[in-house]
Amino acid sequence: MKAIKLHIPNSWDDMSERQLGKIAVLFNSGKTDVKFYIELFFMLNNIKWWQFSKKAKLRIGLRNCPLSDLHKAYEYIFNENNRTVFPTFIKTNKGKYYPPQNRIANLTADEFAVVDDLHIKWRETKNIEYLQYMLAVLYTPKQRPLFDKNELHDKALLFKNVPPKTLLTVELAYFGCKNNLVKRFPKAFPKAKKGDAKPKKKYGFAKVILGMAKGDLSKLELIKKVNIYTFLEQFEEDLTPPKQS
């Protein structure tokens, strides 16, 4: 049989927005059978509906090569989502809104605390409204304004008509950025230990911000505006026991 060339992205960040969107929908479809893996294979190969010849060749390949062997070309999909790039913009009835920098590098501690709480709620409930509120934190006009949690409800209304596929794509991108933070700051994001009967109660980062301010409201407003990476570096240091002399 003539060799078939596969054009599979080498990482999450190599995926196009179109591919990421399709995968986001597939991951939230509830599918777990062989059809899931076949659909994923075709999505990663970026097959368009009109590419009948290419589709036929890939089907021949699937008949001659076990899916388990093909998985080796994209094992990263099953290991960890470490996407760092968001969809480039989202259209609303007030114009285009733009994402934070890659790796959410320019979010403040306050923005992260709010969006992370919303993300946890989405994962627990699958209520699409939490994704709309996430977009209201993440996506702003080109010049990012000062974040005000009190304006969040009105901002979320802008994203009321954003298609579910786009909402899920942004969620997948945010989750990848969060996973990168977890890897970089392991003490700030402790994992449940094996054998624990119940997972430890999660603390929200809003409480961590309050704790750092130590009751000083003037400090509180300053800490909220600190870059999330700077904030987590300090938090990680605070959680590190001093070295014994």
Side-chain angles (χ1 to χ4, degrees):
M1 186 185 77
K2 190 178 178 182
I4 298 170
K5 286 186 179 179
L6 302 179
H7 301 281
I8 293 173
N10 293 317
S11 70
W12 281 94
D13 279 345
D14 284 340
M15 291 181 204
S16 67
E17 283 184 27
R18 178 179 176 274
Q19 285 173 310
L20 188 68
K22 283 178 169 285
I23 287 168
V25 172
L26 180 63
F27 277 18
N28 286 277
S29 67
K31 294 177 183 175
T32 55
D33 56 5
V34 174
K35 192 177 178 184
F36 169 92
Y37 295 100
I38 292 172
E39 285 184 31
L40 178 62
F41 176 70
F42 277 88
M43 286 172 187
L44 288 169
N45 277 282
N46 207 22
I47 301 295
K48 314 291 194 301
W49 69 267
W50 66 86
Q51 294 176 313
F52 303 112
S53 174
K54 192 175 178 182
K55 194 181 287 186
K57 286 178 182 176
L58 287 179
R59 289 193 184 281
I60 292 168
L62 283 171
R63 283 199 292 269
N64 288 277
C65 184
L67 264 173
S68 56
D69 286 348
L70 292 169
H71 280 179
K72 292 170 186 175
Y74 47 94
E75 272 186 321
Y76 65 88
I77 287 278
F78 308 102
N79 293 337
E80 182 188 39
N81 168 13
N82 56 9
R83 176 84 177 189
T84 66
V85 183
F86 287 86
T88 49
F89 64 84
I90 289 173
K91 285 183 179 178
T92 74
N93 57 8
K94 286 199 174 181
K96 291 180 180 177
Y97 277 63
Y98 299 88
Q101 292 172 0
N102 296 352
R103 299 179 184 272
I104 54 173
N106 61 337
L107 282 197
T108 64
D110 198 24
E111 286 172 318
F112 177 77
V114 173
V115 79
D116 198 51
D117 278 348
L118 291 166
H119 185 244
I120 289 167
K121 286 291 185 186
W122 154 253
R123 287 267 154 177
E124 288 173 349
T125 67
K126 298 299 179 181
N127 183 340
I128 208 83
E129 196 170 319
Y130 287 116
L131 297 184
Q132 294 163 356
Y133 274 78
M134 280 181 66
L135 263 66
V137 180
L138 295 167
Y139 278 74
T140 68
K142 246 183 181 174
Q143 188 70 37
R144 287 187 77 86
L146 286 173
F147 179 65
D148 185 349
K149 191 160 58 175
N150 296 321
E151 298 173 353
L152 196 56
H153 178 69
D154 289 339
K155 286 181 178 178
L157 294 175
L158 287 171
F159 302 98
K160 204 77 176 171
N161 297 319
V162 171
K165 181 179 178 181
T166 303
L167 295 172
L168 293 170
T169 306
V170 172
E171 185 274 332
L172 204 56
Y174 170 77
F175 203 13
C177 293
K178 166 80 179 282
N179 287 336
N180 277 285
L181 285 179
V182 171
K183 190 176 284 187
R184 181 164 173 175
F185 303 104
K187 291 186 179 70
F189 300 93
K191 292 180 180 177
K193 292 180 181 177
K194 288 182 180 179
D196 284 353
K198 288 183 180 178
K200 289 182 180 178
K201 191 176 180 181
K202 296 172 186 172
Y203 51 73
F205 277 91
K207 287 184 179 178
V208 177
I209 293 170
L210 276 171
M212 280 190 176
K214 294 177 181 171
D216 187 332
L217 293 180
S218 60
K219 274 187 184 177
L220 178 62
E221 291 309 310
L222 288 172
I223 293 169
K224 283 181 177 181
K225 294 171 187 172
V226 171
N227 176 273
I228 184 54
Y229 280 80
T230 305
F231 174 85
L232 288 173
E233 280 167 7
Q234 182 60 55
F235 187 39
E236 189 91 350
E237 190 176 313
D238 291 346
L239 293 170
T240 304
K243 289 181 180 178
Q244 299 283 339
S245 54

